[in-house]
Amino acid sequence: MASLTEDPVLGINDIKEREEENEKGKTQVVKTEEVGQSERDMASATGNSIHRSGSRPQLDLSKAAIQGNFEERDPTILLPNQSDDLSHLALDIGGSLIKLVYFSRHEDQSIDDKRKKTLKERLGISNGNRRSYPILGGRLHFVKFETNKINECLDFIYSKQLHRGGMDARIWNPDAPTNENAVIKATGGGAYKFADLFKERLGVSLDKEDEMNCLVSGANFLLKAIRHEAFTHMEGHKEFVQIDQNELFPYLLVNIGSGVSMIKVDGDGKFQRISGTNVGGGTYWGLGRLLTKCKSFDELLELSQLGDNRTIDMLVGDIYGGMDYSKIGLSASTIASSFGKAISENKELEDYSPEDISLSLLRMISYNIGQISYLNALRFGLKRIFFGGFFIRGHAYTMDTISFAVQFWSKGDAQAMFLRHEGFLGALGAFMSYEKHGLDDLMVHHLVERFPMGAPYTGGKIHGPPLGDLNEKISWMEKFVRKGTEITAPVPMAPPGTTGLGGFEVPSSKGGTLRSDASALNIGVLHLVPTLEVFPLLADPKTYEPNTIDLSDHGELEYWFTVLSEHLPDLVDKAVASEGGTDDAKRRGDAFARAFSAHLARLMEEPAAYGKLGLANLLELREECLREFQFVDAYRSIKQRENEASIAVFADLLMELDSMTEETRLLTLIEGVLAANIFDWGSRACVDLYHKGTIIEIYRMSRNKMQRPWRVDDFDVFKERMLGSGDKKPHPHKRALLFVDNTGADVILGMLPLARELLRRGTEVVLVANSLPALNDVTAMELPEIVAEGAKHCDILRRAAEAGGLLVDAMVSTLDDSKGNSSSVPLMVVENGCGSPCIDLRQVSSELAAAAKEADLIILEGMGRALHTNFNARFKCDALKLAMVKNQRLAEKLIKGNIYDCVCRYEPLS
């Protein structure tokens, strides 16, 4: 294995060192933070043999213990013997940029909950079966600073005490003395150049890690742990590629700095440099600077976007009179000779525009790198080629030209791929060089990426100042964002425009206002949640796609952005009211509206900015943005009011149901679920209905309009499975998972009576609800109280709730005080692991995964969980999908129907 510094050609930091002298006065820092947010994330670790240094301080796991209730969602793990000289911080210090990766621990939120203990016993989740997590739950943050403003980086590290283990370490042990031997892992040329400055300012030593080791370690981690990390880029179009971890190796990693290194990666810690070239980013920057007088690398890239290389490059058509050379497969637009026209024209350098020169130079170098890379991949039989390094910088034209070269020379057999976190490979690898960094064996479903205000870009530019706390974030939104129209920072946007070449002959953006980083991708905060698991009842997790709506269609994207924008004022009103309508709440509400509008504008400009985009991602982004500005439950008071109104008529509904025949009752129950699903504050049509009557009046109106056949109507098949035909009576399901939707009538008058019917038939029932609030969706925290209220009117519910541990703390006055409950099937409640109106079954809570192992019936209810997501999902058991469609466009696209049409889709296992 060769070190970067051993290759006299490579020198990837040279380009950065030269640029540092020319770049002054740039905009300030962006960092990725979520201050004041209470999340449910944990960090993971167990051993995988990624190469790393063992010479530095390690996490001391001796006498490690979970603090508080072991089975709580966010257990804090106390490390009593951990020394303060371990830093959860690593740096990649280049000549132009400092990339910083740091870990923030999670706050303790443990609550002693008897229901959780009962649930654990019921589901067979024993302490011994739980994984051991060697570090506390938390988040990985990615931050960028300009190297010529290194003091800002040092101030940031000091303000958060990252060099001493973080602020949380100081809180736990504020009297601990500063360790004079503390070290921080670092890579890049600046790790040597600024070592004395770090010692002087922070009292820490920089432990220099080999650059190539770090690059490979960082790439391996990202490709294995981030679902949509890799993407292709052709003619401005990004397409994310999901790579099977079992098929990742071997691959070619092409790192383009001043020169180019081509690294064959065979596994964790197994790699070798197989080739390279001295024609790389340094060549482009050096020649470009001489020929155009540009003062920075980014300025040179920006020029290329406005250029027309046909004025300088000799094309095949120039040689053959505008014709193709079809005999050997060359089109007239193919470049025959870069800068070839300069030798045959009576022109001097000043006669050529700097824009044309920059583009011609960019294509010449990019095409050659792409060709050489493919030939090396062919030489070693490698199917995947990943490109990274300072030269890429998230620049659309650069990625397009490399992609075109690989496609051209491979005749379409190979594709160039790029990485979303490309600029942070070195810093991530340095972080992982700590002996026990806690990221080993982390699976893709353990990581959730979120995008608070201030998420940095890939590439070279820095946007916006550091945002230290919520108040600073709000002030920034007030000062620099014009509501609903434009955002200057920290998530900048520009007028919509193509980010691609529109073909490789003439850049379609010539003369336009395309910003060079318009197609650059944002880097979010990686939330480490090892308690998340893949839903075990998915028929094929590898092919499962939660999103039903394809937002790659621009018209579809624009429509849903409009829907979300129009709903925003009402949502802000509800959020402010939920916090008492105080001045502080109004200020936060206004900041939230501006922030979410900025997110929508950013995604409208670049739909791939935050990764692969689906409607579920948009809805979750809205909820995360609310939480970022400390709105915990925007519909709190509305949910309480609707619950009270529904409980008031619950007993009458049960009496009505009990008077029916078995067949009529089953149909009425399904009708009741569909009718009650009309209550959805996320639907504009439903919000309008709320102004036309009380909740009970609307529910009765909805039930009265229930007429079969429904738009999707599999009720008869479901009825036969439940009731049988003739004298043949089917066996009941063993356990049913009911994914519930909204509070009020939806859950109380719809799903709870259906759960009761299943219990009556001897089926265990697990109500699955959100972990965190989203719109008026019911949460797992709220459900036990709702069940307890319902149990006051029903012995079936009471006995089942007691058996499932839901009434441990509830004093329930029942119609029948008999205690013969030992044989009752249980009614349980589990959280689903998310806080969105939709659900991605690739990431569910460990308790839901445990509950699913003995389930043979799934009922998905509501637009978010059964239509927007999972409408096409297939399972290893019977599945029933129930929803009322409350959006005309969705009705037309999905079921070729109309608003308020109903879906009863039953998919038996066999």
Side-chain angles (χ1 to χ4, degrees), residues 2 74 80 119 153 181 190 225 275 280 284 295 307 317 344 348 514 551 574 638 704 721-722 751 757 801 803 823 899:
D74 304 311
L119 178 67
C153 176
N181 297 318
S275 186
Y284 176 60
K295 301 301 181 183
S344 59
E348 299 300 327
L514 178 64
L551 294 187
K574 298 293 187 299
I638 292 172
N704 291 335
R721 169 61 184 89
M722 294 293 290
M751 291 297 277
E757 184 68 17
S823 62
I899 193 168

Side-chain angles (χ1 to χ4, degrees), residues 348-378:
E348 299 300 327
L349 177 61
E350 55 269 18
D351 295 321
Y352 294 99
S353 76
E355 292 83 358
D356 297 346
I357 292 172
S358 178
L359 180 59
S360 179
L361 191 58
L362 176 67
R363 291 188 172 184
M364 178 183 75
I365 292 169
S366 298
Y367 285 158
N368 275 274
I369 292 172
Q371 180 184 11
I372 296 170
S373 299
Y374 167 68
L375 292 175
N376 274 284
L378 185 66

Side-chain angles (χ1 to χ4, degrees), residues 473-494:
K473 191 173 295 188
I474 293 172
S475 297
W476 178 255
M477 300 307 296
E478 291 172 339
K479 184 175 181 181
F480 290 97
V481 182
R482 280 183 286 159
K483 193 170 186 178
T485 57
E486 184 178 358
I487 179 165
T488 306
V491 186
M493 63 164 283

Side-chain angles (χ1 to χ4, degrees), residues 633-855:
D633 190 354
Y635 287 80
R636 180 188 301 137
S637 58
I638 292 172
K639 292 194 294 184
Q640 184 176 354
R641 185 169 65 247
E642 293 187 356
N643 285 341
E644 291 171 353
S646 300
I647 282 291
V649 298
F650 183 65
D652 292 338
L653 174 62
L654 297 187
M655 288 180 62
E656 178 187 350
L657 289 167
D658 289 344
S659 68
M660 298 175 180
T661 63
E662 192 175 45
E663 184 173 332
T664 302
R665 185 168 66 242
L666 184 61
L667 175 59
T668 304
L669 285 165
I670 298 301
E671 287 179 339
V673 171
L674 295 172
N677 191 235
I678 197 171
F679 297 101
D680 187 347
W681 281 92
S683 164
R684 169 56 57 188
C686 297
V687 171
D688 292 340
L689 277 178
Y690 281 96
H691 302 300
K692 298 178 181 179
T694 67
I695 183 173
I696 299 305
E697 290 170 342
I698 298 169
Y699 170 69
R700 286 174 179 157
M701 175 198 71
S702 181
R703 273 193 65 178
N704 291 335
K705 289 185 177 181
M706 284 287 126
Q707 292 185 357
R708 296 185 64 199
W710 301 311
R711 193 64 187 178
V712 177
D713 193 338
D714 296 333
F715 173 77
D716 291 337
V717 183
F718 178 65
K719 181 185 72 174
E720 184 173 346
R721 169 61 184 89
M722 294 293 290
L723 306 181
S725 57
D727 296 331
K728 186 177 180 181
K729 295 295 181 183
H731 64 276
H733 290 95
K734 181 177 182 180
R735 177 182 290 170
L737 304 180
L738 275 61
F739 289 75
V740 296
D741 191 6
N742 305 301
T743 50
D746 197 0
V747 66
I748 296 170
L749 304 182
M751 291 297 277
L752 201 54
L754 180 59
R756 175 180 180 259
E757 184 68 17
L758 291 166
L759 292 165
R760 188 204 297 261
R761 295 174 178 279
T763 299
E764 294 183 4
V765 174
V766 180
L767 300 177
V768 184
N770 268 11
S771 299
L772 294 174
L775 294 172
N776 63 319
D777 290 4
V778 68
T779 67
M781 189 70 73
E782 296 162 342
L783 265 179
E785 183 178 347
I786 291 172
V787 171
E789 287 298 315
K792 294 177 181 179
H793 307 284
C794 175
D795 285 339
I796 296 173
L797 287 176
R798 175 181 62 81
R799 288 193 292 267
E802 287 178 347
L806 295 180
L807 303 184
V808 172
D809 302 319
M811 298 299 293
V812 183
S813 172
T814 63
L815 303 176
D816 179 4
D817 291 327
S818 62
K819 298 297 181 181
N821 303 333
S822 58
S823 62
S824 294
V825 290
L827 172 62
M828 296 170 277
V829 171
V830 300
E831 57 179 300
N832 59 20
C834 74
S836 166
C838 302
I839 186 168
D840 182 343
L841 293 173
R842 293 170 299 192
Q843 294 180 305
V844 302
S845 70
S846 56
E847 62 185 48
L848 173 53
K853 290 176 182 176
E854 294 186 18

Side-chain angles (χ1 to χ4, degrees), residues 484-718:
T485 57
E486 184 178 358
I487 179 165
T488 306
V491 186
M493 63 164 283
T498 176
T499 58
L501 296 177
F504 288 84
E505 293 79 30
V506 183
S508 59
S509 63
K510 182 181 179 184
T513 58
L514 178 64
R515 200 185 66 236
S516 63
D517 58 358
S519 68
L521 306 182
N522 292 75
I523 302 298
V525 176
L526 285 181
H527 292 241
L528 282 65
V529 196
T531 53
L532 292 179
E533 299 183 25
V534 177
F535 189 57
L537 293 178
L538 283 174
D540 186 358
K542 289 184 179 180
T543 60
Y544 168 76
E545 168 55 51
N547 287 287
T548 307
I549 303 299
D550 181 11
L551 294 187
S552 62
D553 177 80
H554 187 79
E556 200 70 35
L557 182 69
E558 193 168 16
Y559 169 78
W560 288 103
F561 277 23
T562 301
V563 169
L564 291 173
S565 296
E566 289 177 348
H567 181 242
L568 194 54
D570 183 71
L571 178 58
V572 172
D573 289 344
K574 298 293 187 299
V576 172
S578 73
E579 299 285 335
T582 63
D583 289 340
D584 173 67
K586 291 175 182 176
R587 187 168 178 246
R588 285 186 286 118
D590 184 61
F592 155 71
R594 296 175 186 228
F596 187 60
S597 295
H599 281 302
L600 293 180
R602 174 73 180 116
L603 290 169
M604 198 66 192
E605 175 193 54
E606 174 50 82
Y610 300 166
K612 188 175 181 180
L613 183 64
L615 184 56
N617 307 105
L618 274 182
L619 297 175
E620 184 173 17
L621 179 63
R622 178 182 61 188
E623 300 304 321
E624 288 299 330
C625 194
L626 274 169
R627 288 188 274 270
E628 182 179 358
F629 290 93
Q630 296 187 0
F631 291 106
V632 178
D633 190 354
Y635 287 80
R636 180 188 301 137
S637 58
I638 292 172
K639 292 194 294 184
Q640 184 176 354
R641 185 169 65 247
E642 293 187 356
N643 285 341
E644 291 171 353
S646 300
I647 282 291
V649 298
F650 183 65
D652 292 338
L653 174 62
L654 297 187
M655 288 180 62
E656 178 187 350
L657 289 167
D658 289 344
S659 68
M660 298 175 180
T661 63
E662 192 175 45
E663 184 173 332
T664 302
R665 185 168 66 242
L666 184 61
L667 175 59
T668 304
L669 285 165
I670 298 301
E671 287 179 339
V673 171
L674 295 172
N677 191 235
I678 197 171
F679 297 101
D680 187 347
W681 281 92
S683 164
R684 169 56 57 188
C686 297
V687 171
D688 292 340
L689 277 178
Y690 281 96
H691 302 300
K692 298 178 181 179
T694 67
I695 183 173
I696 299 305
E697 290 170 342
I698 298 169
Y699 170 69
R700 286 174 179 157
M701 175 198 71
S702 181
R703 273 193 65 178
N704 291 335
K705 289 185 177 181
M706 284 287 126
Q707 292 185 357
R708 296 185 64 199
W710 301 311
R711 193 64 187 178
V712 177
D713 193 338
D714 296 333
F715 173 77
D716 291 337
V717 183
F718 178 65

